[in-house]
Amino acid sequence: MRAHARIVATMVALALASCSTAVTRRAPAPSTERVAEADLIAAVTRCFHDHGLDAIASIAIEADGDRITLARAAGHREPQRATRRRAVELAETVPGVRIATWTERDRSR
Amino acid sequence: MTGPTGSRPRRWPWIVAALSATALATWLWGIPALLAAIMADAVEAEWGDRVTVDRASWNLGRRITLHGLDVYDEATGRPFATCTRAIAELERSPAGGDPGLLLDLVLEGCTLVGGDDTLATVHRVHYHREGDAPARLAFDGVHAALVPSEIDRWIGAVTRIVSAPGIAPDGGGPLMRAIDVRRTRIEVSFAGTEVRVPVGQLSARIRPTAAKALAIEFVRARAFDGDLTASGDVDWSGRLDYRVQAHLRGIDVNAVGTALGLGAASRGHASAFLALRAPHDPQHGGNPVGSGWVAGTDVRVWDAPLFAAILGTLGLEGTDDDTLEHVDGKVRFDHGRLWLVELIAQGQPVSLFCNGSLALADGALDLGVVPRVAGGRGVSDLPLVGEPTQAILDVVAGTAIQLRIAGRIGEPDVAVQPLSIITEPMRAFFALIRGERSGN
């Protein structure tokens, strides 16, 4: 019974997901590299949001192709090491991100 | 000549009166006018822009008050900033180190102009500079209207402010320390649409990072009854470039509905993120490009014209209890349009899957929506759907519908279109499932 319920749930999800291949008016590919980089930054922050990393406002994110650089946002305190590590781990799970690194800013900023 | 009694008339009272009147006139009009001219020249020499002052007064101490201060744009010959009153306090710097000049300037009732329009009004501006140390500037009580496609006018106004004393023309001098903005209200609108996004209680720090670059930090505000945090930077050393990242939490969908015309009975909560960049391509019409996402819970928007039209086409009605339990999707600003990318809204009385866009120039919609009706609800007889309450069966049977939505948010035009079979792998998968169920 559980297996059938799981199959039904999967089919419903697939049915919804399969709509994406059929619905027209899909967004075209990003027109420029900076749009593609913004896509990546948005995806990383969404990953943070979904995993409860409540530090989006205090983390500055930059994208250069498939490389993501994380740093504390200017004026914010440097996050704890565990937070920095978690942010890098999550960022590297995002499709399209090849490598994520954390950069420490100088204290004057 | 002699009088009736033979005594000579006294002239000195008249002379004294004339001298007194002259002195009074000089004090009331002459000195202030002279002082106004002196101060205007001084400010011009310091700021490099043509300045006019209607009237000035001096308290015989450290304070000079200027009334009706206008700063002109050399290129256009028009004022780009006006001020009702400016109060300047000057004194020698406190003892210690090289003596310099301490200038504390308060401007009240200011207006910032860009082109032919008023960009902002400012209740109070405070400028403080001590000797050769970097200056500080604070804006309090700013009310402004911002159209993203016209952001270059704002950049022009801000660059003129930043190029105030504290930054050498060649970039070799000390930069202004910071520009603080407090108690600010901005209304963001998109040309050609009815969208109005009020952003209130905004505070931020603008910090010059180079002669022609700024960092925008500590942005805090309230938008859609939620908390907005943001940061960004601007660089105009070459082609204008900027980037902004903004995060919104605890958005009230009803507040969004009011701003976008979605209907007064909307409710729900959402979070959103946007990363925007300067377009660097004329095809975008000056609008920023970028990406973001939106995530909502318990959203009810069935009274909004767009969603009411969708329900009407499907022959459904939304009750007060019907909500979209989860709304998730990506957004993108590109090609001069706002794109919805794989927006999924799951709930009652219908789930929706959406792709499409809205033109930023005129708000024209171009959306494709695939509905999935919840089980047990009555629907009108739409022959293309077959058995619409059985979502899986209508996919297996090879038919599905798409709603094509054109028009505008407030006046949508909904049409039903058939879709071809979705994918061959899906057919094979369902055939496999059917086979397992029948024991084959």
Side-chain angles (χ1 to χ4, degrees), chain A residues 11 18 20-21 23-26 28 30-31 34 38-39 42 45-46 49 54 57 61-62 74-76 109, chain B residues 207 217-218 229 241 243 245 249 273 277-278 284 291 293 328 332 334-335 355-356 366 370 402 404 422 430:
Chain A
M11 291 169 71
S18 69
S20 69
T21 66
V23 173
T24 56
R25 289 155 198 87
R26 290 172 60 81
S31 62
R34 52 181 50 201
D39 277 354
T45 59
R46 183 57 198 260
H49 172 87
D54 194 25
I61 305 172
E62 294 181 11
H76 289 260
R109 292 191 61 190
Chain B
R207 184 171 56 84
E217 304 167 348
F218 294 116
T229 56
D241 197 6
R243 56 181 169 183
Q245 293 182 11
R249 291 187 298 180
F273 174 85
R277 296 290 305 269
H284 298 105
S291 292
W293 50 263
D328 266 288
R332 186 190 289 162
D334 201 0
H335 303 284
N355 274 320
D366 185 16
V370 174
Q402 176 181 218
R404 162 78 192 278
I422 301 198
F430 289 128

Side-chain angles (χ1 to χ4, degrees), chain B residues 29-313:
Chain B
W29 291 291
I31 290 180
L34 180 63
L35 198 54
I38 292 172
M39 291 307 303
D41 284 346
V43 176
E44 261 187 61
E46 186 73 6
W47 287 67
D49 291 308
R50 187 167 70 90
V51 174
T52 61
V53 177
D54 290 344
R55 188 168 56 88
S57 59
W58 179 34
N59 70 346
L60 302 181
R62 303 179 311 176
R63 174 177 293 186
I64 295 175
T65 303
L66 310 179
H67 299 268
L69 175 72
D70 291 345
V71 184
Y72 287 79
D73 185 321
E74 283 296 319
T76 65
R78 297 175 181 172
F80 85 92
T82 67
C83 170
T84 304
R85 184 170 72 160
I87 305 166
E89 303 241 359
L90 300 101
E91 67 174 305
R92 302 294 277 182
S93 288
D98 293 332
L101 188 67
L102 189 152
L103 171 63
D104 199 89
L105 180 65
V106 173
L107 310 177
E108 297 174 346
C110 303
T111 302
L112 201 61
V113 179
D116 294 327
D117 300 318
T118 298
L119 289 182
T121 59
V122 186
H123 174 66
R124 188 174 186 269
V125 180
H126 183 202
Y127 177 85
H128 184 88
R129 183 182 176 191
E130 192 166 331
D132 289 333
R136 290 194 74 111
L137 186 62
F139 290 83
D140 205 326
V142 180
H143 285 193
L146 176 65
V147 182
S149 61
E150 299 172 1
I151 198 167
D152 55 330
R153 292 163 54 198
W154 269 94
I155 300 297
V158 172
T159 58
R160 296 191 71 89
I161 293 170
V162 171
S163 300
I167 302 178
D170 62 355
L175 298 175
M176 183 176 289
R177 182 173 297 161
I179 303 171
D180 290 318
V181 179
R182 296 186 289 255
R183 285 184 284 271
T184 290
R185 179 176 175 83
I186 296 177
E187 185 176 85
V188 182
S189 61
F190 293 88
T193 71
E194 298 300 317
V195 175
R196 298 285 183 271
V197 181
V199 179
Q201 298 177 38
L202 185 144
S203 64
R205 172 163 294 174
I206 302 171
R207 184 171 56 84
T209 52
K212 294 184 177 181
L214 296 172
I216 304 170
E217 304 167 348
F218 294 116
V219 179
R220 302 277 190 276
R222 295 282 294 174
F224 303 126
D225 288 345
D227 294 321
L228 169 70
T229 56
S231 63
D233 48 64
V234 185
D235 189 312
W236 63 97
S237 57
R239 185 166 53 171
L240 172 65
D241 197 6
Y242 61 84
R243 56 181 169 183
V244 176
Q245 293 182 11
H247 184 213
L248 267 166
R249 291 187 298 180
I251 299 168
D252 181 352
V253 171
N254 187 50
V256 176
T258 303
L260 303 183
L262 295 182
S266 305
R267 64 173 187 262
H269 294 90
S271 293
F273 174 85
L274 270 180
L276 297 176
R277 296 290 305 269
H280 278 196
D281 192 316
Q283 68 163 316
H284 298 105
N287 289 302
V289 297
S291 292
W293 50 263
V294 60
T297 55
D298 297 324
V299 175
R300 188 189 185 283
V301 288
W302 303 120
D303 293 332
L306 179 63
F307 296 92
I310 291 173
L311 292 187
T313 302

Side-chain angles (χ1 to χ4, degrees), chain A residues 8-97:
Chain A
V8 168
T10 302
M11 291 169 71
V12 171
L14 285 172
L16 281 172
S18 69
C19 296
S20 69
T21 66
V23 173
T24 56
R25 289 155 198 87
R26 290 172 60 81
S31 62
T32 59
E33 197 172 307
R34 52 181 50 201
V35 178
E37 288 173 354
D39 277 354
L40 212 55
I41 291 171
V44 168
T45 59
R46 183 57 198 260
C47 185
F48 289 173
H49 172 87
D50 290 343
H51 289 84
L53 187 65
D54 194 25
I56 295 177
S58 61
I59 298 177
I61 305 172
E62 294 181 11
D64 181 10
D66 55 8
R67 299 173 61 93
I68 290 290
T69 303
L70 307 174
R72 68 173 175 85
H76 289 260
R77 290 187 176 180
E78 193 75 17
Q80 293 183 349
R81 186 178 301 176
T83 303
R84 300 199 302 262
R85 189 183 310 129
R86 180 67 174 147
V88 170
E89 286 173 355
L90 287 174
E92 289 189 334
T93 66
V94 173
V97 174

